[in-house]
Amino acid sequence: EFIDASERSGYKIIGFIDKAISTEETFGKWKMRRMNELICGRKNIMANMSLFLGSIFQSFGVTVHFSTVDCDDTIAAFALHLKGNVLSRDCDFFRYYKQSSRDPFCIFSNFH
C-alpha cells in the first residue's frame, strides 16, 4: 500500500540500507554477538532484518542501495540532488540543516 500510494502521489521511493553488508570486522562482531546469544539462550532481534526488508522493497520494484557503512551523507546528497525528501527515524538528518532561508530537504518520521 505504501509503495502504491507513494507512486500515485508522484513520489518515487529509493531505499537505502546501511551497514547491511558485512565487512570482516563487522562480521567478527556479529559472530561474537551470536555466540553470546547462544550462551544466554536468548535472541532479541530477527537475523538479517535489514537484508530482509531491503529484499521486500526490491520485490515491489523499489531501487534499494545496500551499504557497508553508515550512508546518511549519501541519502542527504540524493535527497538534495533529486529535490526529494527523507523518511527516517534517524535524527542525524537534522545536522544537514543550516540557518538559512531554504531547508535542503524535508525530513519525515513516524509517517502513517
Side-chain angles (χ1 to χ4, degrees):
E1 282 184 47
F2 172 72
I3 296 167
D4 290 337
S6 297
E7 288 176 356
R8 285 192 306 270
S9 298
Y11 289 97
K12 178 182 179 183
I13 298 173
I14 301 173
F16 293 85
I17 308 292
D18 61 358
K19 301 178 189 171
I21 302 170
S22 294
T23 62
E24 190 172 323
E25 178 185 354
T26 58
F27 178 72
K29 290 178 183 178
W30 177 88
K31 186 176 178 182
M32 186 173 64
R33 289 184 188 128
R34 301 302 78 85
M35 291 301 292
N36 287 337
E37 290 168 350
L38 286 171
I39 292 167
C40 295
R42 184 173 168 196
K43 178 157 182 62
N44 295 324
I45 61 168
M46 181 178 166
N48 295 321
M49 185 59 171
S50 296
L51 291 172
F52 182 66
L53 182 61
S55 296
I56 290 172
F57 273 97
Q58 285 179 324
S59 73
F60 286 98
V62 173
T63 299
V64 178
H65 301 276
F66 294 90
S67 174
T68 60
V69 295
D70 184 86
C71 60
D72 291 351
D73 291 341
T74 303
I75 296 168
F78 264 74
L80 185 62
H81 178 72
L82 298 173
K83 296 179 176 58
N85 300 308
V86 174
L87 174 61
S88 176
R89 291 183 5 190
D90 190 344
C91 295
D92 290 348
F93 286 101
F94 291 106
R95 72 177 177 224
Y96 299 101
Y97 278 73
K98 298 178 181 174
Q99 291 188 350
S100 67
S101 60
R102 183 183 170 278
D103 294 330
F105 45 80
C106 295
I107 302 170
F108 297 94
S109 180
N110 290 329
F111 189 74
H112 300 283

